[in-house]
Amino acid sequence: MSFESLNLHPLILKAINDAGYTSPTPIQEQAIPELLAGHDVMASAQTGTGKTAAFMLPALHRLASPSEVRSRGPRVLVLTPTRELALQVSEATAKYGKYLPRAKVVSILGGMPYPLQNKLLSQMVDILVATPGRLVDHIQRGRIDFSRLEMLVLDEADRMLDMGFIEDVERIVSATPATRQTLLFSATLDGPMDNVAARLLNSPKRIQVATSKAQLNNIEQRLHYVDDISHKNQLLDHLLQDIALKQAIVFTATKRDADMLADSLSAQGHTAAALHGDMSQRDRNRTLVKLRQGGIRVLVATDVAARGIDVAGITHVINFDLPKFAEDYVHRIGRTGRAGASGIAVSFASSKDGIHLKKIERFTGHRIASHVVPGLEPRVKPRPGGGVQPRSTTSVAHKRSRTWSSDVPHRSNAYRSDGDWKAGQSRSPAGNRDTWGNTASSTRASRAGSGGNGRRDSLGNTTASSAYFRGK
Ligand code: AMP
C-alpha cells in the first residue's frame, strides 16, 4: 500500500515524502482509513510502530479544510502521559503539517511557566498537545475554548491509567463537544482499557496491529542473572566497554538510583546523565537534546521520563532494575531498534524478579535467553531444560545457602509462584545477607573460572537456557 492510496491531502503527502517515508506502517495502514471515515478508533500500538503519524495524518487532513466554528480554540487535542511524549508528538506534528496553512501546534505541559502558556492559549491554536494535569488547571481557569474541537486523541492511554491520570482525562473529555471524534492508543487493549473506551468512545473500531512479540523482532533480548548490586555494577561496566554500544539507556527503578548511577558512571569517565521526573523540564529537554546530538553515551533513566524517547542512535537498552509491569518492559526496550534498526536489550534479574520476569515473558510471548559473562557468572547458574544447579566449584557451593539441585528439589529455597524466595532454614551461617536479601559468602573473584554450560555468542558471552526463576 502507498500513502497516495490513503487519499490524504497532497500537502500532507508532500511532507511525508520529505520525511522519507515510502509506505505506511501496519498501524497507519489500518487506522488512517477508519479515521478519515470519521470513526472512533481504539488501537493497540506502541511507540516505534508509527502510531503518531497514524493519528496525526488524519488529524491534519481535517485541518486542511477550515473549521465551520468561529473560535481560536484547538480543533485537535492530544493528551499524553508525559512531557517527553508530548514534545515528541508536537515535533512530529510540525513535521507532518509543515505545508498546511492552519496547523499551529501548542504544547501545554506541566513544569512550564503559566504566563507563557496563558499567552499561547490566548492566540489561535489548531492542535493542542498536553499532559492532563496542567490542562485541567487551564480548563478550570477558563482559559481553553473547546467549541471547535473536532478530534481528541488519548495517546498511551494505558500509561495515563497507570499513572492515575484517568480522572483528569475524564474531566477534560467532559469539557469537549460530544460530536468529537475520539481515538485511544494503548499498548494493550485489555479489560481496563475496554472500560475507559466504553465510557469515552463512540462505537469505536478496534485495531490490533501486531503482538508485542512481532514488534520486538528487531531487538535481541538478553538476560543476566545477578546476585546483588555489586554484581550488577560489574556487569554494567562490562557492557559499557563494548565498542558496539554506541548509546544506551539504562533503566533504574527509582529517580534516586538514576541520579546515583549516572554520577557514578560519570565519575568513571563515561559521558552519562540522568533523566527523571524530578528534573526541571528545561534540564530534561537539555539532556534529551544532548542525547540526540550524541553528547551522552549512557542515559540513566526512570520509566516515565524515558517513555517516548525516539533517538535513532540508541543501540542498547539495559534494565539495571527490571520493571514491575510487562508493558513497561516493552516500552523500555522499544527505545532501541528504532525505525528498522536492530538493537540489544539486556535485563538484569535478581532473585526477587522472578515474578516480573515471568509476567514479561508471558506478555511478550518470548522467553529471554540468559547470558553469562565469563568471570561474572551468577553464583547459581541456570541448567538447560529446567532447574538450577550449584556451581561446579564445590568450595563455593558448599558455602552457599542456595545449594541447588534439580535432581533433589531443595524445598527450603524453592522459587514460589508468588515471586518470593522461600528463605531456607538451611542458610549457611557463613552467608551474609546483601541488600537484595540474598546470601553472599564469596568474593566476586570466585566467579572466575566457571565458563558456564552454554554456547558462546559473538561477544564471547555464554548463552544458556534460562530456567533459574521458573517454577517447576
Ligand atoms: P512512533 O511510533 O510514532 O513513535 O514512530 C516511530 C518512528 O517511526 C519515528 O521515528 C517516525 O519518524 C518513524 N515513522 C513513522 N511512520 C513511518 C513510515 N511510514 N515509514 C518510515 N518511518 C516511519
Side-chain angles (χ1 to χ4, degrees), residues 7 11 22 45 70 116 144 159 162 165 176 185 218 220-221 227 238 241 255 286 321 345 347 350 362 398 424:
N7 293 323
L11 292 178
T22 47
R70 282 174 66 87
L116 173 67
I144 308 207
R159 191 65 184 179
D162 283 352
F165 290 156
T176 64
F185 284 80
N218 56 337
E220 185 192 332
Q221 299 174 58
D227 299 324
H238 171 86
Q241 284 174 27
K255 299 166 195 168
R286 201 176 289 152
D321 297 316
S347 298
S350 80
R362 209 175 298 137
H398 89 265

Side-chain angles (χ1 to χ4, degrees), residues 135-408:
L135 188 62
V136 165
D137 281 357
H138 284 288
I139 291 174
Q140 283 170 345
R141 292 167 199 213
R143 294 223 170 83
I144 308 207
D145 173 5
F146 281 133
S147 60
R148 62 172 195 157
L149 192 91
E150 297 168 43
M151 187 189 261
L152 168 67
V153 183
L154 308 176
D155 195 6
E156 296 196 352
D158 53 331
R159 191 65 184 179
M160 291 201 272
L161 191 69
D162 283 352
M163 290 168 72
F165 290 156
I166 206 66
E167 272 180 29
D168 283 345
V169 169
E170 296 202 9
R171 245 190 258 172
I172 294 164
V173 174
S174 65
T176 64
T179 49
R180 68 173 191 270
Q181 182 181 24
T182 313
L183 289 54
L184 181 151
F185 284 80
S186 167
T188 49
L189 298 180
D190 51 6
M193 268 307 111
D194 265 340
N195 293 341
V196 172
R199 286 201 301 277
L200 307 182
L201 278 69
N202 181 16
S203 310
K205 300 281 178 190
R206 213 181 154 93
I207 297 173
Q208 195 112 27
V209 256
T211 62
S212 315
K213 185 182 169 187
Q215 288 165 14
L216 301 177
N217 272 348
N218 56 337
I219 300 169
E220 185 192 332
Q221 299 174 58
R222 299 178 184 171
L223 186 68
H224 283 278
Y225 294 113
V226 292
D227 299 324
D228 50 35
I229 188 90
S230 108
H231 190 192
K232 284 188 184 190
N233 284 326
Q234 290 177 67
L235 280 169
L236 180 62
D237 188 47
H238 171 86
L239 293 170
L240 295 182
Q241 284 174 27
D242 182 356
I243 51 161
L245 185 150
K246 302 292 179 219
Q247 282 185 299
I249 303 186
V250 178
F251 283 94
T252 59
T254 68
K255 299 166 195 168
R256 196 164 161 262
D257 288 348
D259 273 335
M260 290 199 321
L261 187 56
D263 285 349
S264 145
L265 291 173
S266 299
Q268 289 164 43
H270 295 286
T271 47
L275 184 79
H276 57 69
D278 278 354
M279 291 162 59
S280 72
Q281 188 59 41
R282 218 163 134 231
D283 286 345
R284 285 160 74 167
N285 292 347
R286 201 176 289 152
T287 302
L288 283 175
V289 168
K290 213 166 156 196
L291 180 74
R292 225 167 245 136
Q293 292 172 341
I296 294 172
R297 183 167 175 252
V298 189
L299 182 75
V300 188
T302 54
D303 282 301
V304 169
R307 204 154 169 114
I309 292 179
D310 183 13
V311 176
I314 307 287
T315 52
H316 289 61
V317 165
I318 300 170
N319 289 315
F320 194 83
D321 297 316
L322 213 59
K324 288 203 169 55
F325 301 104
E327 290 88 342
D328 286 337
Y329 175 82
V330 173
H331 275 281
R332 284 182 180 189
I333 75 169
R335 299 310 101 215
T336 182
R338 308 291 288 172
S342 59
I344 293 175
V346 181
S347 298
F348 295 164
S350 80
S351 56
K352 299 219 169 128
D353 293 318
I355 192 75
H356 303 314
L357 188 58
K358 264 189 186 169
K359 278 193 202 161
I360 288 165
E361 292 189 333
R362 209 175 298 137
F363 183 75
T364 60
H366 173 82
R367 196 173 164 108
I368 311 172
S370 74
H371 288 239
V372 176
V373 175
L376 291 176
E377 298 85 356
R379 284 193 299 267
V380 275
K381 66 185 180 190
R383 166 185 282 185
V388 283
Q389 63 182 4
R391 293 184 57 211
S392 54
T393 323
T394 48
S395 61
V396 174
H398 89 265
K399 278 189 188 171
R400 306 244 168 252
S401 58
R402 283 195 219 137
T403 46
W404 297 96
S405 164
S406 58
D407 305 327
V408 184

Side-chain angles (χ1 to χ4, degrees), residues 3 6 8 12 16 19 21 23-25 27-29 31-33 35-36 46 48-61 88-89 92-93 95-96 151 153 155 183 185:
F3 276 108
L6 290 171
L8 288 160
I12 299 174
I16 291 171
Y21 302 172
S23 55
T25 64
I27 181 70
Q28 292 163 2
E29 219 175 279
I32 293 173
L35 293 169
L36 291 178
Q46 285 140 3
T49 58
K51 74 176 162 64
T52 314
F55 62 76
M56 203 38 89
L57 302 183
L60 290 165
H61 185 85
Q88 234 166 261
V89 169
T93 306
K95 182 163 76 176
Y96 305 141
M151 187 189 261
V153 183
D155 195 6
L183 289 54
F185 284 80

